[in-house]
């Protein structure tokens, strides 16, 4: 049994920044992570970090762009915190030695990005995330913060009081890959989930295989509401054969999108007459798919992204990494020919419901980074707004968990007062077959030690059962079927029939999962076991995405519905919330917070 003040789960940008902040605030901190920190997916971020740093720019403009980009589903207190504090975080990174690209005069360079009214994206070539991650990890090493890497967290130790708002979190239980040991980590003051994205719910994604939504699934099963899960970002420029990302930085530098007729599609077909290629991501993804569906795609599958006109010198200076990706994964020389691109799953705007300090409704449980929903991105994230979210909210949550006084939050968490109940027209029963009978929920103990101990025993039993069962269904086929169904049915363009089809497929997958077994009996380095556990998380996450998508019958941001092709502010200016309720999911709603510090962001028509 290990014991610390603050346990951070995950060592990407969010987790590392939180650990540094908690330690600076005087806490004894440990990071528990299934990957080595510098293998975290933050390292794959290419394009940059938005920060209003220069004369002529202002955080209030950044906040306006972000609220507009969110299609008015962002919560203003979180959006304003992001935009106000991002500049100081960029300066902090620079002081810690991050190798930002620079202009001739020595200032940190900034480039245009989609949906921004000012060129405010700071970057380090096309490897911004790599530099960010290494810079933060150096600080963690320097401070002697303990890192348990290749420890896979299986569950959070949460009390089982009737209402989630009365529950508290006292630690986590994790499986060590190298030894097969299952151990408890007690947190005296707080557990911070920073487990990243969930792209593996889809089969065409820019996300790594480790991005399986573990934190979202664990928090959900512990009773924490999950927010706006239908809001999935599909990035317009991914390589068709692998899903590898071609950064928005290419369009930021002047890259152009062409259809099969060599038309500059964004202008020729009127998708974004002002901003063209630099319209918001949801707009560009829909434009590309419309071209493909109407027969103007190349090989009926993709469009072209051309950067040749930028010239070799500029490409090598600012986008060299893109040349390698196009060559290595698609066999295309970006200096000589256009690159094939199509939309692919990229980012989850929704996630674990938190306030602007990263707190969930369960006392002592925090969430930050891509697994969390504060909500900064609402219905659509602007490129370059995820990395500042990691540092701004990582720092905030780290300080809060370590006990710093940070004032009253303006964003509520959990069900408050007369919350609005929702219904969804699901063709199948949702949630856990046999509801509640899983080894993943809260525990039935009273004291903190008992809660941790009970969670440990449950997870040890779970691992033993998985390893001892000697036949049944393997996770891989279940995972592949759900990924295919999600890509086919819950993609950029959505309609009720297909969404219901996905719910049926998820239900069937859940039933097959109840007979899952692990073929590899090894006690150490058993990746078959780990993938089996992750697949369970994917099932819960896939269902939340699809339920949200079916319930929200409007077109907002990344969420397009065939049956209702307009934004319906009269009904839908609210967040979709899902609570697990011991295996029987409940849909409910909470209002969007549009009131900022000095102004209210009135919803307007969103055009680019
Ligand atoms: C290809 C790509 C390019 C991008 N480019 C940009 C960009 O230029 N600008 C921008 O703003 N955003 C960008 N994004 C988005 C942004 O990079 C991510 O949202 C962000 O890095 C996520 O950081 P994180 O710390 O939340 O998660 P991650 O960096 O994914 O880290 C998650 C951590 O959680 C750990 N973990 C997960 N599950 C468990 C478990 N069960 N037990 C223990 N540990 C666990 C992992 O080991 C890992 O350390 C990009 C995303 C992608 C995919």
């Amino acid at each position: 049994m290990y014991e610390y003040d603050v346990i951070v789960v995950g060592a990407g940008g969010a987790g590392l920044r939180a650990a540094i902040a908690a330690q600076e605030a005087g806490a004894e901190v440990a990071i528990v992570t299934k990957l080595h920190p510098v293998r975290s997916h933050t390292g794959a971020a290419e394009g940059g970090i938005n920060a209003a740093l220069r004369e002529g720019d202002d955080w209030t403009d950044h906040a306006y762009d972000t609220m507009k980009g969110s299609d008015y589903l962002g919560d203003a207190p979180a959006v304003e915190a992001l935009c106000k504090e991002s500049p100081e975080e960029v300066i902090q990174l620079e002081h810690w030695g991050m190798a930002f690209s620079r202009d001739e005069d020595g200032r940190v360079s900034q480039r245009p990005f989609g949906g921004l009214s000012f060129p405010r994206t700071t970057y380090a070539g096309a490897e911004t995330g790599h530099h960010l991650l290494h810079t933060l990890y150096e600080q963690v090493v320097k401070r002697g913060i303990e890192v348990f890497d290749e420890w896979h967290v299986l569950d959070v130790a949460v009390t089982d009081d009737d209402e989630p708002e009365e529950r508290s979190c006292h630690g986590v239980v994790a499986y060590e890959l190298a030894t097969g040991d299952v151990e408890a980590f007690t947190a005296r003051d707080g557990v911070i989930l920073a487990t990243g994205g969930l792209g593996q719910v889809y089969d065409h994604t820019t996300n790594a295989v480790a991005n399986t939504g573990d934190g979202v699934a664990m928090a959900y099963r512990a009773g924490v509401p999950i927010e706006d899960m239908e809001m999935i970002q599909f990035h317009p420029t991914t390589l068709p054969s692998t899903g590898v990302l071609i950064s928005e930085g290419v369009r930021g530098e002047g890259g152009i999108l062409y259809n099969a007729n060599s038309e500059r599609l964004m202008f020729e077909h009127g998708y974004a007459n002002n901003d063209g290629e630099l319209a918001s991501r949801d707009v560009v993804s829909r434009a590309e798919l419309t071209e493909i569906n109407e027969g103007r795609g190349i090989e009926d599958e993709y469009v072209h992204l051309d950067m040749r006109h930028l010239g070799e010198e500029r490409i090598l200076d600012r986008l060299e990494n893109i040349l390698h990706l196009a060559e290595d994964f698609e066999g295309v020389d970006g200096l000589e020919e256009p690159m094939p691109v199509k939309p692919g799953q990229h980012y989850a705007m929704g996630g674990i419901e938190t306030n602007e300090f990263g707190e969930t409704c369960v006392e002592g449980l925090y969430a930050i980074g891509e697994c969390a929903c504060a909500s900064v991105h609402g219905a659509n994230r602007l490129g370059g707004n995820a990395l500042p979210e990691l540092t701004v909210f990582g720092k905030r949550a780290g300080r809060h968990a370590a006990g710093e006084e940070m004032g009253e939050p303006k964003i509520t968490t959990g069900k408050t007062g007369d919350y609005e109940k929702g219904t969804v027209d699901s063709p199948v029963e949702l949630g856990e077959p046999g509801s509640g009978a899983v080894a993943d929920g809260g525990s039935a103990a009273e004291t903190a030690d008992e809660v941790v101990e009970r969670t440990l025993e449950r997870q040890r039993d779970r691992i033993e059962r998985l390893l001892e069962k000697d036949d049944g269904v393997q996770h891989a086929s279940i995972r592949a079927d759900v990924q295919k169904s999600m890509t086919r049915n819950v993609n950029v363009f959505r309609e009720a029939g297909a969404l219901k089809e996905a719910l049926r497929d998820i239900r069937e997958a859940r039933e097959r999962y109840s007979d899952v077994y692990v073929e590899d009996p090894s006690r150490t380095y058993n990746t078959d076991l780990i993938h089996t556990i992750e697949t369970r998380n994917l099932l819960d996450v896939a269902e939340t995405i699809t339920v949200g998508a079916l319930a929200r019958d409007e077109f907002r941001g990344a969420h397009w519905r065939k049956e209702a092709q307009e934004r319906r502010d009269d009904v839908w200016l609210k967040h979709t919330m899902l609570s697990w309720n011991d295996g029987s999911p409940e849909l409910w709603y909470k209002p969007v917070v549009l009131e900022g510090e000095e102004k209210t962001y009135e919803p307007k028509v969103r055009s680019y």
Side-chain angles (χ1 to χ4, degrees):
M1 182 98 72
Y2 300 93
E3 192 168 330
Y4 293 86
D5 294 332
V6 175
I7 305 283
V8 180
V9 181
L16 296 177
R17 186 65 188 91
I20 295 166
Q23 200 240 19
E24 278 181 344
E28 194 191 352
V29 185
I31 299 173
V32 186
T33 168
K34 69 181 181 183
L35 304 174
H36 185 275
V38 298
R39 291 183 63 82
S40 301
H41 206 54
T42 294
E46 298 169 7
I49 309 173
N50 297 335
L53 284 169
R54 294 214 177 172
E55 211 174 296
D57 197 9
D58 195 88
W59 74 262
T60 54
D61 295 337
H62 185 188
Y64 176 80
D65 293 345
T66 303
M67 287 300 285
K68 176 181 168 189
S70 82
D71 221 351
Y72 302 94
L73 197 68
D75 282 333
V79 169
E80 292 193 341
L82 174 92
C83 302
K84 211 170 182 179
E85 293 171 28
S86 176
E88 74 194 44
E89 281 300 297
V90 165
I91 292 166
Q92 176 66 82
L93 286 167
E94 203 269 346
H95 288 177
W96 281 337
M98 181 163 161
F100 282 102
S101 295
R102 290 178 184 277
D103 289 351
E104 293 282 304
D105 62 8
R107 289 185 301 171
V108 167
S109 299
Q110 293 190 283
R111 61 180 161 212
F113 242 49
L116 294 182
S117 56
F118 192 90
R120 71 168 70 90
T121 308
T122 61
Y123 58 96
E127 305 94 40
T128 310
H130 172 86
H131 290 283
L132 172 90
L133 199 56
H134 281 259
T135 303
L136 290 175
Y137 184 49
E138 279 169 16
Q139 291 302 315
V140 164
V141 172
K142 176 181 157 191
R143 286 152 209 266
I145 294 171
E146 197 121 18
V147 180
F148 294 83
D149 65 275
E150 300 198 337
W151 280 81
H152 187 109
V153 172
L154 302 167
D155 204 2
V156 282
V158 169
T159 59
D160 75 342
D161 302 81
D162 286 344
E163 300 304 327
E165 296 77 17
E166 292 162 8
R167 295 178 192 167
S168 52
C169 178
H170 301 281
V172 300
V173 170
Y175 168 90
E176 188 183 23
L177 202 61
T179 61
D181 289 344
V182 178
E183 296 292 348
F185 292 77
T186 298
R188 289 184 284 263
D189 296 329
V191 169
I192 303 178
L193 294 174
T195 53
L198 49 78
Q200 288 301 317
V201 166
Y202 290 85
D203 69 0
H204 188 83
T205 174
T206 62
N207 284 199
V209 279
N211 285 17
T212 48
D214 299 355
V216 173
M218 286 189 284
Y220 181 41
R221 293 191 298 254
V224 180
I226 305 298
E227 181 170 346
D228 292 336
M229 289 297 285
E230 68 275 20
M231 296 306 177
I232 296 290
Q233 179 162 83
F234 294 86
H235 196 293
T237 58
T238 72
L239 295 176
S241 55
T242 52
V244 165
L245 180 78
I246 296 300
S247 168
E248 189 160 312
V250 175
R251 283 170 291 135
E253 295 294 340
I256 295 176
L257 289 167
Y258 292 106
N259 64 16
N261 304 333
S262 301
E263 294 166 321
R264 191 171 178 182
L265 60 102
M266 294 306 296
F267 292 103
E268 290 285 335
H269 292 274
Y271 299 111
N273 291 329
N274 295 321
D275 291 1
E277 284 81 4
L278 280 180
S280 181
R281 287 176 179 175
D282 56 320
V283 175
V284 184
S285 284
R286 278 191 296 272
E288 290 177 3
L289 280 184
T290 304
E291 291 297 292
I292 294 163
N293 292 344
E294 292 182 359
R296 296 186 294 276
I298 299 151
E299 293 182 4
D300 285 338
E301 198 197 351
Y302 56 85
V303 297
H304 272 148
L305 175 61
D306 199 349
M307 62 175 182
R308 289 173 294 179
H309 55 286
L310 302 179
E312 184 168 349
E313 196 184 335
R314 183 154 162 209
I315 292 173
L316 287 177
D317 181 37
R318 301 186 183 183
L319 300 165
E320 187 186 346
N321 185 36
I322 301 303
L323 288 178
H324 300 309
L325 295 175
E327 179 72 48
D328 295 347
F329 292 98
E330 211 71 44
V332 167
D333 179 354
L335 290 175
E336 299 291 335
E337 49 197 328
M339 298 172 285
V341 291
K342 73 174 195 181
Q345 191 284 345
H346 183 57
Y347 186 83
M349 271 77 75
I352 304 164
E353 183 209 34
T354 73
N355 64 20
E356 63 269 42
F357 303 125
E359 288 179 284
T360 72
C361 70
V362 168
E363 193 193 338
L365 184 61
Y366 296 75
I368 48 169
E370 191 170 337
C371 71
C373 182
S375 115
V376 171
H377 312 297
N380 173 64
R381 173 175 74 86
L382 294 183
N385 262 358
L387 295 180
E389 181 190 4
L390 309 184
T391 54
V392 167
F393 292 94
K395 179 176 172 183
R396 285 176 156 237
R399 288 173 53 197
H400 200 287
E404 272 195 25
E405 185 47 57
M406 300 185 65
E408 276 300 305
K410 296 191 182 72
I411 297 173
T412 61
T413 55
K415 291 178 191 152
T416 48
D418 252 357
Y419 68 91
E420 184 186 343
K421 295 192 168 112
T423 52
V424 67
D425 180 22
S426 172
V428 287
E429 193 188 334
L430 299 172
E432 188 64 15
S435 167
V438 285
D440 301 316
S443 73
E446 281 83 37
T447 69
D449 285 349
E450 283 168 348
V451 173
V452 173
E453 191 57 40
R454 187 75 63 91
T455 310
L456 176 62
E457 289 313 314
R458 281 182 167 194
Q459 292 305 321
R460 282 186 172 155
D461 282 358
R462 178 189 184 196
I463 298 294
E464 283 310 310
R465 271 188 284 119
L466 280 171
L467 288 175
E468 278 166 14
K469 190 166 169 5
D470 54 12
D471 68 355
V473 186
Q474 282 187 278
H475 79 87
S477 69
I478 301 174
R479 183 187 286 219
D481 288 349
V482 168
Q483 288 173 330
K484 279 198 201 89
S485 178
M486 291 298 286
T487 300
R488 195 172 55 241
N489 297 315
V490 199
N491 211 292
V492 172
F493 294 122
R494 297 165 171 187
E495 54 105 1
L499 295 171
K500 288 181 184 175
E501 189 61 39
L503 285 178
R504 280 190 209 98
D505 291 340
I506 294 165
R507 182 74 202 172
E508 195 191 320
R510 280 194 185 284
E511 273 155 21
R512 283 164 65 210
Y513 192 90
S514 57
D515 189 31
V516 80
Y517 91 114
V518 178
E519 192 176 24
D520 179 357
S522 315
R523 293 276 151 180
T524 61
Y525 289 104
N526 191 336
T527 49
D528 190 15
L529 173 68
I530 291 299
H531 291 159
T532 303
I533 289 163
E534 290 171 339
T535 298
R536 165 65 205 279
N537 294 336
L538 289 176
L539 295 180
D540 288 340
V541 169
E543 189 176 84
T544 61
I545 295 169
T546 314
V547 168
L550 187 57
R552 188 179 283 275
D553 56 351
E554 66 157 353
F555 166 24
R556 184 182 298 271
H559 176 68
W560 183 96
R561 276 292 297 269
K562 189 174 178 195
E563 300 80 5
Q565 296 182 26
E566 56 187 29
R567 198 175 75 195
R568 298 172 60 201
D569 289 335
D570 51 334
V571 190
W572 282 108
L573 217 44
K574 60 192 181 191
H575 299 289
T576 21
M577 312 295 298
L578 262 178
S579 294
W580 176 247
N581 282 355
D582 283 336
S584 305
E586 178 195 0
L587 179 70
W588 55 284
Y589 300 108
K590 82 170 182 183
V592 180
V593 185
L594 294 173
E595 295 78 34
E597 226 171 70
E598 281 162 24
K599 71 178 209 191
T600 296
Y601 298 83
E602 295 297 343
K604 296 197 177 118
V605 174
R606 187 166 154 261
S607 63
Y608 288 98

